[in-house]
C-alpha cells in the first residue's frame, strides 16, 4: 500500500514538472500574435533588473499585473555581466535568469532584449569599457575583434536565458536582435550575423528587430518581424510594418514613451497622463501590441548612467534617478498615470479577466540626521600611482568608472593659461593642494588662468567619468579622463602620475576624526539608527556634488545643479538598528548635515 501511494505521489510530481516545462508556441499571425494558437495582445512594460533591488523585483511585478500588464520587457546589459574581459557575473542584482523566473512566478511573460547595444541611458549604451582597449575594435560592425567579443558574450547570455524561452517551457515570448540599428547603420549582412549568433546561442524562438519609425527600413532584417518605436497612431504603425514585412503584421510598438529621462542641469521631464491615455486606448482597441518604455524606471546606480552628445548639443550626462515620470515611480509606487493607464487597459482585457487590486503604497520613513563620525581627504586615499610621460585615460589604466587624480610638477612663479584638451568629463584643479578651479565638459570649460606661486608647483587634476555616451556616432569616441594633453602657457606638461580611485567599494576606506582642508574633496563616514525600515530619500540640497553609499550600496550621484536633489534609498537595503553611510563630497567638504525626507525632489534646477 505504501509503495502504491509513493508511486502515485512520484507520478504526480513528474507530471507537475513536465507541465512546468511543456513547450509552448508564440507565433506570428497575419495581424496578431498567436500564443499557443490563440490571439494574444502583448500589453508590456519595460523595467530593468539592475535598476531595481533584487528583493523588490516581485513587488514591481505585482504592480505590473495590477496595472494590467501581461508582459515585462527588459534589456540585458553587457557591461554589467562582463565587467572585465572574460569575467562574467550573473549573480545578485545581475541574475537575469532569476528576474525572468520571477516574472513567470507572477504570471507575466517576458520580451527579452539582449542586444550587446542597449542605449537605455546606460553607460556606453551597455558596452563594457574594455572594448576600447582592443586595438582596431569597432562596435556595431563586422570588425572581427568586435564580433568575437560579441559572440563570447551572447553565448554566455544564451546559457542563462535560452532555456527560458516559451518554446522550451519558459516565459520568454520574443528575443530582439541589435537595438534601433537603423538609427546607426544599414548593413543587412551585419544584422544577419547578429541573427545567426543569437540562434547559435540557443535563441531559436521568435526573433525581431525594433527601430524608430523613420529608421525601420534601414534597421530591419528581412524575415524578422519589424517592431516600431516612438509612434502610436495605428494607421502609421500598420503601414510601416506592412511595408517592411510582406504586407502583413502582427503589429508591435516596441517602445512607447509615456514620458522622458533627465540630465544634469536641465528641468525634470513630465508628461500628464491625459496626453497619453487616449493614445493607449486607440492602440489597444486596434489590437496592436505595445511595450511602455518605461513602465518603471528605477535608479541608475554604480556610475552606470550614460550621456548624450552630438555636434549640435553639449555633453549631457544623465542623472541617477531614472524615475522617467513613468506609471510606477522610482520607489515602485502607483502614480496618477498608473491609475489612468490601468483604467484604459481594464477595458481591453480578455473576457472574464479581472485586474487584481492595486497593492498599497510602500511604507515611507524619514531617517534621523546622519552622525558623521570620521572623515578623510581625497589626497589621503591615493593608491600607488602609475607613471607616464603623457596622461593616461581611464581605459589605459584598466579602470572602468569613478575618478582618476592626475599629478605633475612644474616650475612656478609665472602666470598663464592651463588648457586641458578634451577633458572627460569633470575636473577639479589644485595647485599645491589648494583648489583653484573647475573644468566641466558640459559647459565646454576646459581652461583656467593660473597665477603659480614661486618654486616647484604640484598640479593635481581630479577627473570624474560622468558617463560614457550611449547613443550616436560618438560611441566610438568614448574614452575617459584626460584624453589628449595638458598645457600651461602654451607648453605641454609631461611627467604624469595617475592615481586610480574607482570607488568600487568603500568598506576599505580609512577615515579619522581629524578635519581636512576646507577646499579638498573628502570622504565622510557616518551612521543613523532606525527601529523600522521603509523607503526614504536622502536630502542633498545643501551638498555640492558627489556620490553616496548606504550599507555598502552605491545609491548614485548627486549634484547641486539639479534637477535631482534627493537620492532614493530603498527599504530593501536598510536594516533595523545601525546603518552605515559614506559620502564622497567634491565641492563642499565642510558640509556635515545630512537628513532624510519622505518625498523625492526631482525638479529643482539651480
Amino acid at each position: 500500500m505504501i509503495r502504491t501511494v509513493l508511486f502515485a505521489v512520484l507520478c504526480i510530481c513528474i507530471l507537475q514538472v513536465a507541465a512546468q516545462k511543456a513547450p509552448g508556441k508564440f507565433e506570428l499571425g497575419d495581424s496578431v500574435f498567436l500564443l499557443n494558437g490563440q490571439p494574444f495582445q502583448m500589453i508590456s512594460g519595460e523595467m530593468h533588473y539592475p535598476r531595481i533591488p533584487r528583493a523588490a523585483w516581485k513587488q514591481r511585478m505585482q504592480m505590473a499585473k495590477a496595472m494590467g500588464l501581461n508582459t515585462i520587457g527588459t534589456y540585458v546589459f553587457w557591461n554589467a555581466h562582463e565587467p572585465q574581459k572574460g569575467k562574467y557575473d550573473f549573480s545578485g542584482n545581475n541574475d537575469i535568469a532569476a528576474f525572468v523566473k520571477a516574472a513567470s512566478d507572477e504570471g507575466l511573460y517576458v520580451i527579452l532584449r539582449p542586444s550587446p547595444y542597449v542605449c537605455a541611458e546606460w553607460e556606453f549604451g551597455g558596452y563594457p569599457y574594455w572594448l576600447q582597449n582592443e586595438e582596431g575594435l569597432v562596435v556595431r560592425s563586422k570588425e572581427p575583434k568586435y564580433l568575437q567579443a560579441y559572440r563570447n558574450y551572447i553565448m554566455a547570455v544564451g546559457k542563462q536565458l535560452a532555456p527560458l524561452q516559451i518554446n522550451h517551457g519558459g516565459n520568454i515570448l520574443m528575443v530582439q536582435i541589435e537595438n534601433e540599428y537603423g538609427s546607426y547603420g544599414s548593413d543587412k549582412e551585419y544584422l544577419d550575423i547578429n541573427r545567426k549568433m543569437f540562434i547559435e546561442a540557443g535563441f531559436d524562438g521568435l526573433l525581431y528587430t525594433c527601430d524608430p519609425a523613420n529608421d525601420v527600413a534601414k534597421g530591419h532584417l528581412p524575415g524578422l518581424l519589424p517592431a516600431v518605436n516612438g509612434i502610436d497612431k495605428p494607421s502609421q504603425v500598420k503601414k510601416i510594418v506592412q511595408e517592411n514585412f510582406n504586407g502583413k503584421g502582427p503589429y508591435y510598438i516596441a517602445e512607447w514613451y509615456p514620458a522622458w529621462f533627465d540630465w544634469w542641469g536641465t528641468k525634470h521631464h513630465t508628461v500628464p497622463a491625459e496626453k497619453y491615455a487616449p493614445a493607449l486606448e486607440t492602440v489597444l482597441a486596434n489590437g496592436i501590441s505595445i511595450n511602455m518604455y518605461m513602465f518603471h524606471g528605477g535608479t541608475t546606480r554604480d556610475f552606470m548612467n550614460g550621456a548624450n552628445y552630438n555636434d549640435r548639443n553639449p555633453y549631457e550626462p544623465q542623472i541617477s534617478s531614472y524615475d522617467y515620470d513613468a506609471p510606477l515611480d522610482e520607489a515602485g509606487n502607483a502614480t496618477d498615470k498608473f491609475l489612468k493607464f490601468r483604467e484604459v487597459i481594464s477595458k481591453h482585457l480578455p473576457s472574464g479577466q479581472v485586474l487584481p487590486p492595486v497593492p498599497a503604497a510602500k511604507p515611507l520613513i524619514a531617517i534621523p540626521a546622519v552622525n558623521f563620525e570620521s572623515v578623510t581627504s581625497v589626497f589621503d586615499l591615493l593608491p600607488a600611482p602609475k607613471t607616464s610621460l603623457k596622461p593616461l585615460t581611464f581605459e589605459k589604466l584598466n579602470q572602468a568608472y569613478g575618478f582618476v587624480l592626475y599629478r605633475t610638477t612644474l616650475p612656478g612663479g609665472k602666470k598663464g593659461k592651463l588648457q586641458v584638451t578634451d577633458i572627460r568629463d569633470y575636473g577639479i584643479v589644485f595647485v599645491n593642494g589648494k583648489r583653484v578651479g573647475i573644468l566641466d565638459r558640459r559647459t565646454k570649460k576646459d581652461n583656467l588662468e593660473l597665477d603659480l606661486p614661486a618654486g616647484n608647483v604640484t598640479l593635481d587634476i581630479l577627473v570624474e567619468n560622468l558617463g560614457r555616451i550611449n547613443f550616436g556616432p560618438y560611441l566610438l569616441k568614448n574614452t575617459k579622463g584626460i584624453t589628449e594633453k595638458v598645457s600651461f602657457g602654451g607648453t605641454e606638461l609631461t611627467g604624469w602620475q595617475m592615481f586610480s580611485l574607482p570607488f568600487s567599494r568603500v568598506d576599505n576606506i580609512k577615515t579619522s576624526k581629524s578635519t581636512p582642508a576646507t577646499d579638498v574633496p573628502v570622504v565622510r563616514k557616518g551612521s543613523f539608527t532606525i527601529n523600522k525600515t521603509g523607503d526614504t530619500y536622502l536630502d542633498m540640497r545643501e551638498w555640492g556634488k558627489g556620490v553616496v553609499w548606504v550599507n555598502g550600496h552605491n545609491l548614485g550621484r548627486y549634484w547641486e545643479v539639479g534637477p535631482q536633489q534627493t537620492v532614493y534609498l530603498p527599504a530593501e537595503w536598510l536594516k533595523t538598528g545601525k546603518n552605515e553611510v559614506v559620502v564622497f563630497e567634491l565641492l563642499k567638504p565642510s558640509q556635515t548635515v545630512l537628513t532624510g525626507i519622505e518625498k523625492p525632489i526631482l525638479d529643482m534646477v539651480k
Side-chain angles (χ1 to χ4, degrees):
M1 180 65 179
I2 293 176
R3 288 183 178 180
T4 303
V5 172
L6 290 175
F7 180 74
V9 170
L10 180 62
C11 288
I12 292 171
C13 291
I14 292 172
L15 287 171
Q16 287 176 337
V17 171
Q20 290 170 355
K21 296 184 178 181
K25 284 186 178 182
F26 192 65
E27 302 168 291
L28 306 179
D30 287 343
S31 60
V32 296
F33 292 103
L34 300 174
L35 177 59
N36 297 323
Q38 299 299 313
F40 181 76
Q41 184 176 28
M42 282 185 292
I43 308 176
S44 176
E46 186 97 2
M47 59 184 191
H48 300 146
Y49 54 100
R51 285 176 158 139
I52 308 165
R54 178 170 177 161
W57 288 348
K58 179 178 180 178
Q59 184 270 344
R60 304 303 197 266
M61 290 171 179
Q62 289 174 340
M63 295 299 290
K65 287 284 286 189
M67 198 178 83
L69 304 185
N70 55 31
T71 306
I72 294 296
T74 186
Y75 284 122
V76 184
F77 299 86
W78 188 353
N79 51 14
H81 295 299
E82 194 180 2
Q84 298 291 341
K85 185 177 182 180
K87 297 180 180 179
Y88 295 98
D89 180 7
F90 292 97
S91 64
N93 243 95
N94 290 334
D95 191 344
I96 175 63
F99 181 80
V100 172
K101 291 173 183 176
S104 180
D105 291 342
E106 299 304 321
L108 292 162
Y109 295 101
V110 169
I111 296 294
L112 192 69
R113 313 174 74 189
S115 162
Y117 168 71
V118 299
C119 187
E121 290 71 61
W122 191 265
E123 227 274 348
F124 202 2
Y127 286 122
Y129 88 97
W130 53 262
L131 290 179
Q132 297 184 103
N133 284 337
E134 302 288 312
E135 187 175 353
L137 186 148
V138 180
V139 298
R140 309 190 86 177
S141 79
K142 300 193 293 284
E143 190 278 320
K145 288 184 179 178
Y146 170 66
L147 291 180
Q148 185 58 57
Y150 175 0
R151 183 183 181 280
N152 293 341
Y153 163 70
I154 206 66
M155 294 301 151
V157 171
K159 290 179 182 178
Q160 299 289 319
L161 296 174
L164 302 180
Q165 296 171 103
I166 190 167
N167 53 318
H168 294 275
N171 59 320
I172 297 173
L173 297 179
M174 290 201 303
V175 178
Q176 177 188 298
I177 70 164
E178 246 292 349
N179 183 51
E180 297 188 319
Y181 177 69
S183 300
Y184 189 86
S186 58
D187 187 337
K188 304 298 184 183
E189 183 181 0
Y190 165 69
L191 284 175
D192 196 49
I193 291 171
N194 278 255
R195 181 187 65 83
K196 290 175 179 175
M197 281 201 287
F198 271 57
I199 293 172
E200 184 183 357
F203 294 114
D204 54 359
L206 197 57
L207 303 178
Y208 75 103
T209 60
C210 85
D211 293 279
N214 292 335
D215 300 324
V216 170
K218 291 190 296 181
H220 168 238
L221 181 65
L224 300 188
L225 176 71
V228 187
N229 293 352
I231 61 173
D232 52 23
K233 291 185 178 179
S235 59
Q236 288 181 311
V237 174
K238 291 180 179 181
K239 181 175 183 292
I240 291 169
V241 173
Q242 289 169 359
E243 287 175 347
N244 291 276
F245 200 54
N246 302 319
K248 59 183 181 180
Y251 309 104
Y252 178 42
I253 302 170
E255 292 187 12
W256 181 67
Y257 310 111
W260 206 240
F261 59 91
D262 296 329
W263 52 96
W264 293 111
T266 60
K267 69 175 184 177
H268 177 47
H269 294 79
T270 60
V271 182
E274 291 78 8
K275 181 174 180 179
Y276 279 107
L280 179 60
E281 172 77 53
T282 303
V283 166
L284 297 182
N286 277 267
I288 295 173
S289 290
I290 193 169
N291 179 51
M292 301 175 192
Y293 191 103
M294 301 290 295
F295 160 68
H296 170 57
T299 311
T300 311
R301 306 177 179 91
D302 294 311
F303 305 117
M304 297 306 283
N305 66 281
N308 281 330
Y309 177 81
N310 59 45
D311 293 329
R312 299 182 305 278
N313 296 317
Y315 172 73
E316 297 171 340
Q318 290 116 21
I319 68 173
S320 294
S321 171
Y322 204 56
D323 176 88
Y324 217 92
D325 192 35
L328 208 62
D329 70 14
E330 184 176 6
N333 292 312
T335 65
D336 177 66
K337 191 172 289 183
F338 177 103
L339 297 175
K340 286 186 168 60
F341 286 2
R342 169 186 160 94
E343 185 179 342
V344 170
I345 294 170
S346 66
K347 301 174 187 176
H348 299 278
L349 299 174
S351 178
Q353 183 175 327
V354 178
L355 293 182
V358 179
K362 300 170 67 188
L364 286 166
I365 63 171
I367 64 167
V370 175
N371 176 31
F372 286 105
E373 295 115 2
S374 59
V375 64
T376 190
S377 159
V378 71
F379 291 130
D380 293 327
L381 294 177
L382 303 180
K386 292 185 179 179
T387 60
S388 174
L389 184 66
K390 295 188 176 185
L392 299 177
T393 63
F394 278 52
E395 289 72 19
K396 293 302 181 185
L397 296 168
N398 292 315
Q399 180 178 335
Y401 317 113
F403 303 77
V404 170
L405 188 134
Y406 293 83
R407 172 174 290 173
T408 191
T409 57
L410 67 160
K414 63 183 76 172
K415 296 180 181 180
K417 179 188 286 187
L418 178 74
Q419 177 73 49
V420 183
T421 304
D422 207 6
I423 186 170
R424 300 180 185 170
D425 301 295
Y426 185 88
I428 305 178
V429 182
F430 305 87
V431 171
N432 290 340
K434 181 180 179 181
R435 189 174 80 195
V436 295
I438 290 172
L439 308 172
D440 189 345
R441 185 183 183 188
R442 295 179 314 125
T443 59
K444 300 184 179 180
K445 176 66 174 174
D446 61 1
N447 65 84
L448 296 170
E449 292 292 335
L450 298 182
D451 185 357
L452 300 180
N456 285 334
V457 169
T458 298
L459 175 71
D460 290 308
I461 307 175
L462 178 64
V463 179
E464 179 182 6
N465 166 8
L466 276 175
R468 291 182 179 85
I469 295 161
N470 58 261
F471 181 80
Y474 287 90
L475 281 173
L476 301 176
K477 299 177 181 179
N478 244 336
T479 53
K480 290 296 180 180
I482 296 177
T483 61
E484 291 194 23
K485 63 180 180 179
V486 180
S487 60
F488 178 70
T491 300
E492 183 175 357
L493 301 181
T494 56
W496 290 89
Q497 292 180 307
M498 277 71 55
F499 302 86
S500 290
L501 296 164
F503 285 99
S504 53
R505 51 183 291 194
V506 292
D507 60 309
N508 59 347
I509 293 177
K510 294 181 179 179
T511 54
S512 68
K513 295 183 183 297
S514 61
T515 303
T518 57
D519 58 358
V520 174
V522 295
V523 171
R524 291 193 179 275
K525 286 191 173 184
S527 63
F528 61 90
T529 300
I530 53 176
N531 56 22
K532 65 175 183 178
T533 62
D535 282 338
T536 192
Y537 300 84
L538 302 180
D539 187 349
M540 312 305 298
R541 282 176 289 181
E542 299 303 316
W543 294 71
K545 187 181 195 306
V547 189
V548 60
W549 294 258
V550 171
N551 295 330
H553 296 281
N554 182 333
L555 301 183
R557 309 177 202 259
Y558 62 90
W559 195 353
E560 60 186 353
V561 299
Q564 176 183 345
Q565 300 290 346
T566 52
V567 173
Y568 171 52
L569 174 50
E572 291 81 7
W573 290 345
L574 286 173
K575 55 189 177 183
T576 55
K578 186 177 181 180
N579 292 264
E580 306 289 341
V581 181
V582 177
V583 179
F584 181 39
E585 167 60 42
L586 301 176
L587 302 179
K588 297 181 179 179
S590 60
Q591 178 64 32
T592 59
V593 178
L594 176 57
T595 57
I597 188 172
E598 290 187 359
K599 298 290 184 181
I601 302 172
L602 300 175
D603 57 357
M604 184 183 294
V605 178
K606 294 184 179 180

